Amino acid sequence: MSRAGIAGAALPRAVLLPAALAATLLLLPLAALLLRVDWALVPTTLASPEALSALGLSLGTAAVATLLCLLLGVPLALVISRASGALATVLRALTTLPLVLPPLVGGLALLSLLGRGGLLGDALAGLGVRVPFTTAAVIIAQTFVSLPFLVIAVEGALRGLDGAYERTAESLGAGPWTVLRRVTLPLLAPSLAAGTILCFTRALGEFGATALFAGNSPGTTRTVPLAIYTAFNGAGVSQDTALALSLLLVLLAVAALLCLRSRSPQAAAS
């Protein structure tokens, strides 16, 4: 076997078969999806009112959720990177928890907080504010599941950052805000961009927490993943539309991965 493009020591032959099976397991479902799509109908299908409604809602809510992740996640990453001991451990655990929770549990947690009878739900209802089963609920659910991607990317970059630049700026009289704005954030730009891309892509594909917390109302909470799910339950959207929307999500995911690859240090060096 040629080792072109493979770094490190030679691999035992015994690992090749399971590696090939793993690659096949990842590739075949996507290949089957692509083969099932009626490519001639894709433009017309994506231009249907149902598809445009779901796509527009998904793009809009994912963009707002990504902006919220930036506004909230960067400060959290900064705090975690400067924390130590038990505080850092607890904050990192809380940040990664949405990644390992089943999505429906995340939706139930949001309902327990903001729904009827929830920790804050009744107080908000008394003020005339209803969050569950609204477009705002979609954004909150997307933010909840996407925030860890940004925090982890930025916090990891912060821990690997050379503090000499910040200390030099401080020694020259720069205040904390100036150091953050003129030194720290520019140094974080590649990781921040990568985290933002991951955030947006994850928000775009969010399903479980959204379904439980926001529902599946056309034009209000039915995002692309929910439209796909609805189609295969025989209501609202045709299966051709579901396949076309699935194809669109796959293409967006591939584009995001290519953007991440182009920004990686290895890609820049090669």
Side-chain angles (χ1 to χ4, degrees):
M1 176 182 174
S2 172
R3 293 184 56 207
I6 301 179
L11 295 173
R13 292 184 180 274
V15 307
L16 299 181
L17 178 59
L21 289 174
T24 302
L25 178 63
L26 295 172
L27 177 63
L28 281 184
L30 295 175
L33 173 65
L34 296 178
L35 290 173
R36 191 173 175 184
V37 172
D38 189 339
W39 294 88
L41 293 178
V42 166
T44 304
T45 303
L46 289 178
S48 67
E50 297 87 354
L52 289 176
S53 174
L55 181 58
L57 182 65
S58 284
L59 291 173
T61 54
V64 175
T66 302
L67 178 60
L68 287 175
C69 287
L70 284 167
L71 293 175
L72 302 175
V74 173
L76 179 57
L78 288 165
V79 170
I80 295 175
S81 69
R82 301 296 195 269
S84 60
L87 177 60
T89 301
V90 170
L91 289 176
R92 287 193 183 100
L94 287 174
T95 299
T96 55
L97 191 57
L99 294 177
V100 298
L101 278 178
L104 288 176
V105 175
L108 182 59
L110 291 172
L111 270 178
S112 300
L113 176 65
L114 298 170
R116 181 181 299 175
L119 189 62
L120 299 178
D122 288 344
L124 291 173
L127 297 173
V129 178
R130 183 176 69 91
V131 177
F133 311 110
T134 64
T135 303
V138 176
I139 295 171
I140 293 171
Q142 290 175 339
T143 304
F144 179 77
V145 300
S146 303
L147 186 61
F149 289 88
L150 181 73
V151 175
I152 290 171
V154 175
E155 195 259 334
L158 281 165
R159 283 189 284 112
L161 205 62
D162 187 352
Y165 297 104
E166 294 171 317
R167 290 191 295 271
T168 300
E170 288 178 341
S171 70
L172 294 174
W177 276 109
T178 302
V179 173
L180 177 64
R181 182 170 53 90
R182 302 291 297 274
V183 180
T184 308
L185 291 180
L187 290 173
L188 290 175
S191 297
L192 197 56
T196 301
I197 292 169
L198 288 173
C199 248
F200 181 76
T201 308
R202 178 64 185 89
L204 204 59
E206 160 52 27
F207 171 74
T210 303
L212 194 59
F213 182 51
N216 188 12
S217 176
T220 303
T221 64
R222 182 174 291 173
T223 57
V224 168
L226 284 163
I228 294 169
Y229 176 79
T230 301
F232 284 93
N233 279 277
V237 183
S238 70
Q239 290 196 12
D240 285 337
T241 302
L243 289 169
L245 289 172
S246 299
L247 173 64
L248 184 60
L249 288 183
V250 170
L251 293 178
L252 287 171
V254 170
L257 291 174
L258 291 175
C259 287
L260 290 175
R261 169 63 182 170
S262 69
R263 292 178 177 275
S264 68
Q266 293 84 355
S270 61

